[in-house]
Amino acid sequence: MNEWTKTDREPDPLPSSLPGPTAPGLGEPQAEVEETLKRIQSHKGVIGTMVVNAEGIPIRTTLDNSTTVQYAGLLHHLTMKAKSTVRDIDPQNDLTFLRIRSKKHEIMVAPDKEYLLIVIQNPCE
Amino acid sequence: MAPKQKKKLSRRKKSPKPILAASEDMEPVNMESMGHPEIYPLVLTTKTQEIFNCRIDEDITDEQPYKLINKEDIFEDLRNRAAVSDFHPVKKIVQEYPGNELLLVYDKDFKYGLNFYLIGTEEGKENYLNPPEVSEEQEEYKEYIPEDVYIYKPPVSKPWVSLGSEKEIEEESVTESTKQITYMISRKRSEFGAPIKFSDQNASSVKDAYIECTAYPDKNFTLKQLEKDVGMQVIPQIKDISTQTKWTYPKNATTQYYPREFSEEEKETLKQSKPLVDFLNNASISVEIALQQNEITNTFIDDWKHLAEEEGTFGDKTDTHLKEYQSFTDLHSPTEKMITCVSWHPTIYGLIAVSVAVRLSFEDRVHFSGKLLLQPSLILFWSFSDPIHPQLMLESPDDIFCFKFCPSDPNIIAGGCINGQIVMWDITAHADRIENVKAGGSRSKKATLKPMFLLEPESNKEAMYIRHCAVSSIENGHKKVITDIHWLSDTFEINRMGSVFENRSGICCQLVTCSADCTICFWDIRPQKPLTPQTTEKKKEESIEIPFDVPSTFLHLDLSWKPLTKVRLSKGETSLDHCPTKISLKEDHLLCKTQDKVLAQSKTAKAEEMNPYHNLESRMPNLLKPIDDFCTKFFVGTEEGEVIYTDWKMEKDPETGRLMPKKPVSLHTIHDGIVHTIQRSPFYDDIILTVGGWNVAIWKESVMTGPLLQSCCAPKRYTSGHWSLTRPGVFYIGREDGYIDIWDLLEKTHEPAQSQNICITMITCIKPWIFSPKQQFIAIADYYGTLHILEIPWTLSRPSTNEMTSINHYFEREVKHLEYVEQRKKIREQEKKEMEQEMAKKKVKIYQKSKEQMEAELKMDYESYLELEKTVLINLGLIRVTEKGSYSDVM
């Protein structure tokens, strides 16, 4: 059932270790970005990936424009709300990851100070 | 009182009053109480009587009961005897007496209490002395009341005597007791008539403007209530508040916005920025963990829920038999008929059409052909509400062996005849009759209790013969019986080449038929553009009078209908061709599923009031867009039991330049008899069920190596089959002994799950149909012409929860199995090859041996061969055993 053995690459790292693919240097940041996104997209069941800036404007996406814009706008608001909720409860806490599981998909949002990474996956086999 | 006194006064009797002996101090008692104040009763002793010479019965007699006595005498008596004197009590009266003589009267009767009485007044004396006659007279008159003579006496005025009534009058009279005060108010003359100005003034502000008598609580009058009856009720606090808002008229307001986006250059610059790279590196870690978690397992799955089967079954779970619902037989036909094809009406509930054909073999048909011509060949429309009379009867020139309702308009029916013609009917005119069948039938049943045959003349449910409206051309069509007919889907159409184009008309306008003359023809029901006008003129001359009740929908086709293309299934060089019995195109399964679509279409057609079939326009082949990637392949089942997968697209033969049909993609001889059912599963596009001979096969379209499932030989021949419409793994097979086998692929794949007897003869057609999620019927037609309608029980109609996926898995497994078998075959072949090679190598090795050894071996072989020959001949009995020894050797 471990689908990631099928893809021809090394197994993904555990959280404690360093990121898997060695950074090829700052000279090719674009390629690195592409490579990371491609890697995420190649996971089993992933429907779409997108990178959104702090204002909710999409930077990079694999879905069509209208869908991207919709997701970006909505999830941006939701992430801000979730973040403020966590901070309100405990000011020293912060939101690290947001997963929304619905009947059909799972939406994963990784927030950052400036950007958001949104991945939509269909978890059912 | 006064008049009374007067009366008494007038009727007074004797007057002198006796004087009582009383002391000088006492007031003399007068007879005022009796009404005589002047009478003073007296007691006179004998001595006194002697003194005054008023001795009783001597001086005073009855005639003269009084005596006048001098006043001085009384005074003298009084001086002499002082208090002892009898006149003492009246001393005062005597002193006051004005006259000289007092009247003393003897009271014989003691009227006034004492024996004498003295009259104190002069008047009294006078009255006594004078009016005694009057009173006596009055007394006399009183005694002599009953006298008739009444002498009128006029009233004599008398002086008014006051009797004290003035006092009362004085008391009661109202006089002003107080002195009246007189005020005189004067005012200046100039002030009269001046306008008056009133002003308000508070009474309390001006001093002494009013005098009030304030109330004060007087303790004498205060009552203290010690007990009180009070009722209480608890209610929620209610507050009524109202506000008013400003009502402005509603306006539509719209907003239009577009999202902010980055331009391409901005995106590029951002992509290269370091923060994004770092962010992605960091974020992708957690994202990938999450993704992998999902891949590993679905944490939110409820195993318990997925374990259980779906609850809420309707009906008995254990009931797995098909229940008999109704059966229809045509009782009016003279000859014995069999049912060749059954079709449910796509839209109307409870209506099923059946084509009947005469149950004769070919020879008998030829023999009785004359008789058969007279009898009409029919398609009967049966309704659930009327099991005896068919609702409609469609007439055709010859026996129909297959027919189909048009999917886009259920009023158009196309059927294939035994003689190779296609027959078209248009029952639009009778559509309302059959639509209201159920309602009308039930109403008439409820209204009267008469048996059905009595209702015949009254009800207008007489089945009418409806003539066909078009038949295909005899010369250009099929030459033999049409075994299968299908309507092409309304999404595409084909041209003469077999290329597929899009269908702009939105209706099904093309048919495909296959017949026993080894051809498959495509037909178009639209009028052909006349290539040469002369032919049309010729047609007009030859035109036959058409009966008036036949709709002219397909008039353009009648007797001149040519097929669009003909595909000949040839077997190659040999003259024998494949004889197709059934075909299965890709879109056939849509007929079962999209009932709603048909309903919607028919409704819209009605709403337009313009049936597209009545206004068929000719084809416009040049304007249509070709559809690419259309699979023009289809399955054909033949009479010999083969399943052919071939293409209808024509290709140009490079040698002859003619259009030639392509060679079949694959051919399998699986069945032992005629393939009478090729059907695609309603759930899967590429799973086909073929039934023929004694077995059943399930195919997958892309897998051409063989069937996924092939059943073993059944004890009885299978004569018809159909997939279940709701359960993906169930199909029904009819046998020649009247049994129906229900196969359930989830239960058993080597034999039917159930077997049920329906009738006594061969089952010719099976057609299930869904009316509602809870009601499913299956129509089973048999060889003797009876159509049985059975109800499918819950278990057979309701799919289990994962049935679709399970069946999917099953088919995939089978495909894999086939692949494995193929691979094994290859491996086996390879092995075989290798073995052969080895053998060959071995042989080569053998040949390398020395010649002498070879010769020796040859010799040995030859000897062994001779022996063998001998043995065989002896066994055959051609050589006698001459020697025992050799015989024993032989043995």
Side-chain angles (χ1 to χ4, degrees):
Chain A
M1 245 345 158
N2 285 338
E3 292 295 328
W4 39 275
T5 53
K6 274 193 181 173
T7 58
D8 299 326
R9 51 178 178 82
E10 12 181 296
D12 291 303
L14 296 169
S16 56
S17 63
L18 293 166
T22 52
L26 292 170
E28 301 176 354
Q30 192 176 342
E32 192 185 335
V33 163
E34 291 292 333
E35 212 238 294
T36 315
L37 287 174
K38 207 180 276 182
R39 201 176 69 228
I40 294 173
Q41 181 70 23
S42 65
H43 272 266
K44 181 177 177 236
V46 171
I47 297 168
T49 316
M50 57 189 95
V51 181
V52 173
N53 84 336
E55 291 175 337
I57 307 172
I59 297 171
R60 176 88 169 77
T61 173
T62 58
L63 300 169
D64 58 286
N65 202 24
S66 52
T67 318
T68 305
V69 158
Q70 193 179 23
Y71 268 105
L74 295 166
L75 286 168
H76 172 252
H77 282 303
L78 185 65
T79 313
M80 291 302 119
K81 191 79 183 172
K83 198 173 204 168
S84 68
T85 308
V86 169
R87 298 289 288 260
D88 276 346
I89 293 168
D90 181 7
Q92 282 158 1
N93 207 351
D94 196 6
L95 180 71
T96 50
F97 204 74
L98 183 66
R99 277 165 92 162
I100 302 162
R101 182 114 182 182
S102 73
K103 265 199 281 194
K104 295 185 188 173
H105 321 296
E106 176 154 348
I107 303 169
M108 290 167 235
V109 180
D112 186 66
K113 220 166 42 164
E114 292 166 32
Y115 303 100
L116 276 177
L117 173 65
I118 301 168
V119 178
I120 305 155
Q121 187 195 26
N122 184 5
C124 304
E125 284 106 16
Chain B
M1 198 64 167
K4 207 177 164 184
Q5 281 178 2
K6 274 191 182 170
K7 242 191 195 173
K8 280 210 171 158
L9 212 61
S10 59
R11 284 204 262 122
R12 190 170 37 116
K13 263 187 183 176
K14 321 281 187 278
S15 41
K17 1 175 198 194
I19 297 169
L20 285 172
S23 65
E24 286 179 7
D25 296 331
M26 274 174 63
E27 190 71 29
V29 180
N30 60 356
M31 286 290 111
E32 196 176 340
S33 59
M34 282 180 77
H36 297 285
E38 66 280 3
I39 293 169
Y40 295 94
L42 252 241
V43 163
L44 287 178
T45 55
T46 324
K47 181 98 185 207
T48 317
Q49 286 174 24
E50 285 175 7
I51 299 169
F52 288 98
N53 301 319
C54 54
R55 286 180 287 262
I56 302 170
D57 293 330
E58 289 178 12
D59 295 317
I60 296 178
T61 57
D62 287 335
E63 292 158 0
Q64 203 180 348
Y66 59 88
K67 182 102 186 206
L68 285 162
I69 303 170
N70 283 335
K71 206 162 129 184
E72 287 133 15
D73 291 329
I74 295 170
F75 283 135
E76 199 180 327
D77 185 51
L78 280 169
R79 268 184 270 145
N80 292 335
R81 293 198 289 169
V84 182
S85 165
D86 294 327
F87 288 97
H88 189 73
V90 295
K91 185 183 176 182
K92 238 185 183 177
I93 304 299
V94 172
Q95 281 169 352
E96 286 168 3
Y97 197 76
N100 281 328
E101 289 184 337
L102 278 89
L103 190 63
L104 184 77
V105 182
Y106 169 62
D107 195 3
K108 188 182 171 188
D109 297 322
F110 287 86
K111 194 171 170 202
Y112 298 104
L114 297 171
N115 56 357
F116 281 93
Y117 62 86
L118 190 74
I119 294 179
T121 56
E122 273 297 316
E123 305 100 57
K125 184 171 86 177
E126 292 298 318
N127 284 340
Y128 182 77
L129 288 174
N130 292 331
E133 296 101 9
V134 180
S135 61
E136 280 179 12
E137 282 175 7
Q138 279 184 353
E139 276 186 24
E140 285 174 16
Y141 282 134
K142 259 201 354 196
E143 290 171 13
Y144 299 123
I145 282 168
E147 271 191 11
D148 293 342
V149 179
Y150 174 67
I151 299 163
Y152 171 67
K153 267 193 188 169
V156 177
S157 66
K158 296 179 190 118
W160 182 68
V161 177
S162 165
L163 293 173
S165 59
E166 297 110 18
K167 278 189 208 164
E168 287 177 7
I169 290 169
E170 272 177 32
E171 282 167 15
E172 292 199 13
S173 67
V174 175
T175 52
E176 288 173 0
S177 54
T178 57
K179 189 175 173 240
Q180 283 188 329
I181 305 168
T182 314
Y183 285 98
M184 199 183 88
I185 304 164
S186 67
R187 199 169 172 207
K188 262 206 241 176
R189 175 68 198 243
S190 59
E191 287 176 15
F192 275 103
I196 298 180
K197 204 175 173 185
F198 287 114
S199 65
D200 285 330
Q201 182 178 276
N202 197 356
S204 56
S205 60
V206 177
K207 201 180 156 199
D208 293 340
Y210 69 102
I211 296 170
E212 66 172 350
C213 184
T214 50
Y216 65 96
D218 192 357
K219 278 196 185 149
N220 301 328
F221 298 104
T222 51
L223 288 172
K224 200 169 174 187
Q225 192 174 14
L226 294 175
E227 256 182 26
K228 206 174 185 181
D229 269 330
V230 171
M232 289 219 315
Q233 188 176 3
V234 175
I235 55 163
Q237 206 174 13
I238 299 169
K239 238 188 205 180
D240 275 330
I241 296 177
S242 55
T243 59
Q244 191 157 358
T245 59
K246 220 164 48 161
W247 167 256
T248 50
Y249 59 92
K251 283 189 278 201
N252 283 337
T254 56
T255 324
Q256 194 167 350
Y257 63 93
Y258 58 90
R260 282 182 296 171
E261 284 175 12
F262 283 130
S263 62
E264 287 298 323
E265 304 92 37
E266 284 174 335
K267 284 188 190 171
E268 290 299 321
T269 43
L270 275 171
K271 266 189 226 173
Q272 293 175 11
S273 64
K274 188 169 185 314
L276 181 70
V277 174
D278 291 339
F279 157 71
L280 269 181
N281 286 333
N282 293 332
S284 59
I285 301 168
S286 40
V287 164
E288 280 176 354
I289 294 168
L291 286 171
Q292 281 161 29
Q293 277 176 358
N294 280 334
E295 283 165 16
I296 293 168
T297 176
N298 186 2
T299 52
F300 292 97
I301 198 166
D302 188 359
D303 292 320
W304 193 244
K305 207 199 254 186
H306 281 88
L307 184 67
E309 277 281 323
E310 198 182 291
E311 289 301 319
T313 49
F314 195 77
D316 199 4
K317 245 185 182 166
T318 56
D319 181 22
T320 52
H321 270 66
L322 302 169
K323 276 175 282 196
E324 177 90 19
Y325 187 80
Q326 217 167 15
S327 65
F328 300 105
T329 316
D330 188 17
L331 303 166
H332 300 301
S333 65
T335 50
E336 292 156 351
K337 297 254 173 108
M338 69 172 179
I339 295 179
T340 49
C341 188
V342 173
S343 181
W344 291 88
H345 197 280
T347 47
I348 300 174
Y349 170 85
L351 200 64
I352 185 167
V354 156
S355 69
V356 287
V358 191
R359 207 187 324 144
L360 294 173
S361 68
F362 184 69
E363 280 184 25
D364 293 332
R365 266 181 196 270
V366 170
H367 192 60
F368 293 112
S369 60
K371 194 163 89 174
L372 288 175
L373 272 176
L374 297 169
Q375 291 161 20
S377 316
L378 302 167
I379 292 183
L380 305 167
F381 275 64
W382 294 103
S383 160
F384 282 173
S385 56
D386 191 347
I388 302 173
H389 301 98
Q391 301 302 317
L392 281 179
M393 294 205 258
L394 304 182
E395 210 185 323
S396 82
D398 225 332
D399 284 341
I400 302 277
F401 267 75
C402 56
F403 73 97
K404 281 263 162 34
F405 283 95
C406 174
S408 27
D409 185 357
N411 291 327
I412 310 280
I413 301 145
C417 264
I418 196 172
N419 59 1
Q421 280 183 311
I422 297 184
V423 188
M424 299 284 290
W425 289 272
D426 184 359
I427 56 167
T428 328
H430 308 274
D432 12 307
R433 263 193 56 187
I434 49 172
E435 260 180 37
N436 302 329
V437 143
K438 195 167 185 214
S442 59
R443 247 187 279 131
S444 63
K445 269 184 191 164
K446 278 181 188 165
T448 56
L449 293 169
K450 290 187 216 161
M452 284 302 292
F453 56 84
L454 282 178
L455 283 172
E456 270 182 57
E458 295 163 3
S459 67
N460 58 346
K461 295 281 183 284
E462 287 174 19
M464 288 170 47
Y465 287 91
I466 297 171
R467 197 179 165 273
H468 52 90
C469 41
V471 287
S472 65
S473 159
I474 301 173
E475 311 91 41
N476 304 7
H478 289 292
K479 305 279 189 301
K480 286 196 188 163
V481 58
I482 294 181
T483 49
D484 202 13
I485 183 167
H486 287 278
W487 287 87
L488 286 183
S489 160
D490 56 356
T491 52
F492 69 97
E493 61 176 65
I494 64 170
N495 70 349
R496 288 181 192 283
M497 293 278 294
S499 323
V500 176
F501 293 92
E502 62 166 14
N503 184 342
R504 288 244 192 98
S505 50
I507 51 169
C508 291
C509 48
Q510 292 188 330
L511 295 163
V512 57
T513 57
C514 68
S515 104
D517 64 354
C518 312
T519 53
I520 294 172
C521 289
F522 290 87
W523 306 76
D524 195 313
I525 61 174
R526 291 173 295 189
Q528 297 291 322
K529 265 189 185 161
L531 297 164
T532 50
Q534 293 141 8
T535 47
T536 51
E537 281 172 22
K538 274 189 188 170
K539 252 202 310 188
K540 273 180 190 168
E541 289 168 19
E542 295 170 8
S543 63
I544 309 161
E545 278 293 316
I546 297 153
F548 65 93
D549 58 346
V550 171
S552 60
T553 327
F554 299 113
L555 200 58
H556 51 270
L557 297 171
D558 201 11
L559 286 175
S560 59
W561 198 4
K562 280 191 228 176
L564 204 59
T565 31
K566 252 191 201 175
V567 176
R568 181 163 280 272
L569 295 171
S570 52
K571 273 191 192 171
E573 297 89 34
T574 59
S575 56
L576 290 169
D577 298 328
H578 298 286
C579 176
T581 47
K582 286 280 178 203
I583 51 178
S584 168
L585 300 167
K586 210 165 167 68
E587 273 77 20
D588 276 355
H589 71 283
L590 287 172
L591 280 169
C592 304
K593 261 190 180 171
T594 57
Q595 292 174 37
D596 304 325
K597 194 176 160 196
V598 167
L599 272 168
Q601 273 183 353
S602 63
K603 274 182 188 163
T604 51
K606 274 182 190 164
E608 290 168 8
E609 287 183 10
M610 218 178 62
N611 198 340
Y613 281 100
H614 294 299
N615 305 319
L616 286 168
E617 294 168 0
S618 59
R619 291 179 58 244
M620 302 169 288
N622 300 322
L623 303 176
L624 296 168
K625 201 174 66 178
I627 301 177
D628 303 323
D629 292 341
F630 195 87
C631 181
T632 54
K633 302 189 178 59
F634 59 102
F635 279 89
V636 181
T638 64
E639 217 172 350
E640 286 91 31
E642 295 151 349
V643 176
I644 306 175
Y645 188 52
T646 181
D647 198 338
W648 75 60
K649 226 174 174 173
M650 307 279 244
E651 61 178 7
K652 266 208 167 155
D653 196 11
E655 297 165 11
T656 56
R658 279 191 301 159
L659 292 169
M660 292 288 289
K662 287 186 183 167
K663 286 217 173 11
V665 176
S666 71
L667 193 154
H668 297 273
T669 313
I670 299 290
H671 300 287
D672 316 315
I674 307 178
V675 175
H676 51 73
T677 304
I678 292 192
Q679 203 191 20
R680 291 188 190 238
S681 167
F683 296 90
Y684 307 102
D685 284 358
D686 48 2
I687 302 288
I688 295 118
L689 173 78
T690 57
V691 182
W694 277 264
N695 55 5
V696 179
I698 296 181
W699 305 76
K700 196 173 165 89
E701 193 163 348
S702 45
V703 174
M704 281 301 114
T705 46
L708 295 182
L709 171 76
Q710 185 184 344
S711 78
C712 61
C713 249
K716 291 283 176 185
R717 205 152 51 104
Y718 288 143
T719 50
S720 66
H722 205 282
W723 284 101
S724 159
L725 295 176
T726 47
R727 288 192 67 185
V730 172
F731 51 91
Y732 306 96
I733 310 279
R735 305 211 304 231
E736 67 171 348
D737 55 353
Y739 275 76
I740 183 162
D741 284 345
I742 303 169
W743 286 70
D744 187 352
L745 288 175
L746 289 177
E747 221 178 294
K748 288 186 240 187
T749 54
H750 62 282
E751 60 170 19
Q754 260 180 34
S755 209
Q756 189 176 343
N757 190 327
I758 307 291
C759 53
I760 51 170
T761 175
M762 185 170 87
I763 291 176
T764 51
C765 195
I766 297 176
K767 278 266 159 63
W769 196 250
I770 306 170
F771 282 119
S772 68
K774 294 169 191 163
Q775 204 181 33
Q776 258 194 50
F777 291 111
I778 184 166
I780 297 175
D782 69 6
Y783 191 63
Y784 280 168
T786 313
L787 178 71
H788 306 266
I789 311 279
L790 295 106
E791 199 168 337
I792 299 178
W794 179 259
T795 46
L796 283 176
S797 60
R798 201 100 175 91
S800 54
T801 6
N802 303 329
E803 192 160 332
M804 190 108 172
T805 42
S806 317
I807 298 284
N808 241 346
H809 282 149
Y810 169 73
F811 288 137
E812 280 170 17
R813 281 203 312 271
E814 290 299 319
V815 169
K816 282 185 190 157
H817 169 75
L818 277 174
E819 284 172 13
Y820 171 75
V821 165
E822 280 302 306
Q823 281 181 5
R824 285 297 300 175
K825 263 193 193 165
K826 285 186 194 156
I827 292 170
R828 296 265 333 148
E829 279 181 27
Q830 226 174 1
E831 279 182 359
K832 229 181 175 181
K833 271 190 198 165
E834 283 172 8
M835 271 177 66
E836 282 174 7
Q837 278 178 10
E838 276 186 30
M839 290 286 289
K841 275 183 192 168
K842 266 190 194 168
K843 281 186 182 165
V844 165
K845 277 186 191 164
I846 291 165
Y847 288 146
Q848 280 172 359
K849 287 180 196 166
S850 64
K851 242 186 177 178
E852 294 137 10
Q853 280 177 343
M854 271 172 62
E855 278 182 1
E857 278 182 14
L858 275 170
K859 210 177 178 184
M860 272 185 66
D861 283 338
Y862 183 61
E863 276 173 18
S864 63
Y865 165 68
L866 281 174
E867 280 182 31
L868 177 68
E869 190 188 4
K870 227 184 191 178
T871 333
V872 167
L873 285 172
I874 285 167
N875 282 337
L876 284 171
L878 294 170
I879 301 177
R880 293 207 181 265
V881 179
T882 47
E883 290 173 83
K884 267 190 184 175
S886 63
Y887 186 78
S888 63
D889 287 332
V890 164
M891 299 305 268

